[in-house]
Amino acid sequence: MRLTPLPADQWDDDVDKALAGMLPRRRRNPQGAGNALSTLVRHPDLTRAFMPFNVHLLFASTLSDRMREVAILRVSELSESPYEIEHHTGMGQAVGMTVEEIEDARSGVARDRVEQLVLDAVGELHRRSTITDDTWHALGEHLDERQLMDLVFTVGTYRTLAMAFNAFGIQPDRELQPEYER
């Protein structure tokens, strides 16, 4: 690990505030937060700024939970991010995906037409930082403008997280599902 999780004796009010929008109080500690969030809080201001956006993508996105996970699983695979692959395999299962569907999404294959279009869009964004007109128009037959926007931002955000986690050397840990108090 290039950056290790913040030691427990360094968790202070700034760290707690940085995680308040993402985790309930009982999980705002090194064990409850897991390796990724425990490492991100080494920079509380950045974490506090980023978390509301990430919470939107996880809990308020116009994409269905399944569609979000299909996209993130593909991003995780294309980004070769062990942390994201492990974490979102668990999240995919939590939204009802089978192990086979998770493996298919990771490899860019789906039986459902709309999910295949989502996977195609992820691949195009990964390779060229855009979605081709054909894929955009095909997706537009099934997704509204807000869903298309949420898809692009989900792909970009999880690509960014994969890069950060890979660069920091964040190791997968036991499955911890993101949650926040509503």
Side-chain angles (χ1 to χ4, degrees):
M1 296 178 103
R2 291 179 177 161
L3 293 176
T4 59
L6 187 68
D9 64 348
Q10 294 179 33
W11 284 58
D12 58 18
D13 288 342
D14 284 340
V15 170
D16 188 68
K17 288 175 189 172
L19 295 176
M22 182 74 152
L23 297 175
R25 181 169 297 284
R26 66 182 167 74
R27 288 212 20 222
R28 292 194 303 251
N29 58 68
Q31 296 74 34
N35 287 337
L37 292 177
S38 292
T39 302
L40 291 179
V41 295
R42 286 185 162 284
H43 193 332
D45 293 338
L46 176 65
T47 302
R48 188 174 24 260
F50 178 73
M51 282 298 115
F53 183 60
N54 193 228
V55 166
H56 166 80
L57 295 173
L58 282 172
F59 302 113
S61 171
T62 58
L63 298 174
S64 70
D65 292 344
R66 181 183 173 98
M67 191 174 297
R68 177 197 68 230
E69 290 307 316
V70 165
I72 294 171
L73 284 161
R74 185 65 180 142
V75 169
S76 301
E77 184 68 26
L78 290 170
S79 302
E80 301 178 30
S81 176
Y83 184 92
E84 290 291 8
I85 289 168
E86 181 175 310
H87 190 70
H88 286 279
T89 292
M91 291 187 72
Q93 290 172 324
V95 302
M97 294 178 73
T98 66
V99 172
E100 181 181 35
E101 290 171 324
I102 289 167
E103 289 301 316
D104 286 348
R106 288 180 55 199
S107 66
V109 176
R111 291 187 174 100
D112 178 84
R113 169 132 171 82
V114 179
E115 288 182 5
Q116 185 61 58
L117 288 168
V118 167
L119 292 169
D120 293 345
V122 171
E124 292 169 9
L125 286 164
H126 180 80
R127 284 188 304 279
R128 299 179 18 204
S129 297
T130 192
I131 298 174
T132 64
D133 286 342
D134 288 344
T135 303
W136 182 268
H137 293 301
L139 276 169
E141 293 175 15
H142 305 281
L143 305 179
D144 64 27
E145 287 179 348
R146 289 181 181 187
Q147 289 172 307
L148 289 166
M149 292 175 74
D150 276 338
L151 176 61
V152 170
F153 277 99
T154 297
V155 171
T157 298
Y158 280 86
R159 172 79 176 177
T160 298
L161 283 169
M163 284 189 284
F165 294 170
N166 288 348
F168 302 159
I170 295 175
Q171 299 299 306
D173 52 7
R174 72 182 194 285
E175 188 57 39
L176 292 170
Q177 299 303 320
E179 58 182 300
Y180 70 109
E181 294 175 346
R182 295 179 185 180

